[in-house]
């Protein structure tokens, strides 16, 4: 569920890449917080050197704006995970309308349950769970220990500003920013030398 409140539910815009200015239909659901355009713009500027051809996982996808933005900018594939049925269906509908059915897949399941299944290592993960549920540490641990991250994976984390997160020590902060009451940060996985 993307973090910074941007445009209200209804429609949001893809801001870059091949789908620039495409609109996403967004259901009106309590707690759904699409990531603001300015935050997405900053994030994808950071990711520009590595997004092309990346395998991505959009956990707690909500509107799917982060994952669809990644596909628009050249990601090879995105696995979207969204437990809320109406959000998952809206995401499927948006992917079909935008012609992304072959590269974007939606799992309508809880993120922790999804991560308990057989892993598929990802190059980039968007970790933006609902702020009220406090899921960051548990999901981060599952990602790290469950084999979901490529050796040098990138992990985007969106969380309340001032919150303290317990993230794996192998996740090294690359860049961060703030927008209102939200902190957004990009980490790089760095395994210790053996």
């Amino acid at each position: 569920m993307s973090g910074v409140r941007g445009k209200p539910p209804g429609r949001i815009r893809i801001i870059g890449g091949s789908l620039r200015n495409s609109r996403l239909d967004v259901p009106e659901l309590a707690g759904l917080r699409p990531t603001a355009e300015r935050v997405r713009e900053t994030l994808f500027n950071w990711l520009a050197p590595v997004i092309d051809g990346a395998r991505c996982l959009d956990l707690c996808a909500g509107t799917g704006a982060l994952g669809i933005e990644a596909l628009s900018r050249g990601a090879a594939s995105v696995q979207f995970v969204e437990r809320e049925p109406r959000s998952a269906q809206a995401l499927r509908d948006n992917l079909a309308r935008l012609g992304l059915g072959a590269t974007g897949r939606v799992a309508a399941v809880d993120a922790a349950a999804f991560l308990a299944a057989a892993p598929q290592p990802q190059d980039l993960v968007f970790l933006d769970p609902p702020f009220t549920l406090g899921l960051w540490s548990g999901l981060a641990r599952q990602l790290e220990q469950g084999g979901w991250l490529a050796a040098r994976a990138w992990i985007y984390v969106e969380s309340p500003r001032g919150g303290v997160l317990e993230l794996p020590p192998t996740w090294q902060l690359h860049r961060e920013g703030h927008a209102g009451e939200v902190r957004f940060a990009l980490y790089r996985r760095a395994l210790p030398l053996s």
Side-chain angles (χ1 to χ4, degrees):
M1 276 215 189
S2 300
V4 177
R5 187 147 197 53
K7 293 186 180 288
R11 289 178 79 89
I12 57 176
R13 177 175 76 100
I14 297 302
I15 54 175
S18 63
L19 298 171
R20 185 177 183 182
N21 291 325
S22 296
R23 302 288 176 173
L24 303 180
D25 294 323
V26 178
E28 298 210 20
L29 296 168
L32 189 62
R33 300 165 288 100
T35 298
E37 287 185 10
R38 65 189 167 131
V39 173
R40 280 187 280 132
E41 181 76 45
T42 299
L43 170 62
F44 284 95
N45 285 342
W46 294 345
L47 291 171
V50 299
I51 194 69
D52 195 46
R55 296 162 299 160
C56 306
L57 176 60
D58 191 351
L59 276 178
C60 308
T63 65
L66 292 170
I68 292 174
E69 194 80 53
L71 290 171
S72 179
R73 294 170 185 252
S77 64
V78 177
Q79 172 66 64
F80 297 89
V81 180
E82 175 52 50
R83 71 178 184 167
E84 205 292 317
R86 285 179 54 202
S87 288
Q89 187 57 53
L91 186 45
R92 284 189 193 99
D93 294 345
N94 282 322
L95 289 169
R97 183 174 49 78
L98 295 171
L100 299 173
T103 54
R105 298 174 313 281
V106 180
V109 64
D110 177 77
F114 180 86
L115 294 177
Q120 302 161 11
Q122 304 292 314
D123 303 309
L124 171 61
V125 174
F126 300 105
L127 179 56
D128 182 13
F131 281 14
T132 57
L133 300 182
L135 301 174
W136 292 272
S137 298
L139 293 176
R141 190 168 40 256
Q142 281 188 274
L143 285 165
E144 181 63 35
Q145 296 173 0
W148 285 95
L149 301 174
R152 298 285 288 154
W154 296 91
I155 308 101
Y156 171 74
V157 179
E158 203 167 299
S159 60
R161 189 174 186 161
V164 177
L165 303 181
E166 291 182 30
L167 300 177
T170 51
W171 294 14
Q172 297 183 346
L173 181 63
H174 178 69
R175 293 188 123 159
E176 69 179 320
H178 298 92
E181 295 304 309
V182 172
R183 174 184 181 259
F184 56 99
L186 184 62
Y187 293 85
R188 183 82 189 266
R189 188 174 189 234
L191 297 177
L193 296 174
S194 43

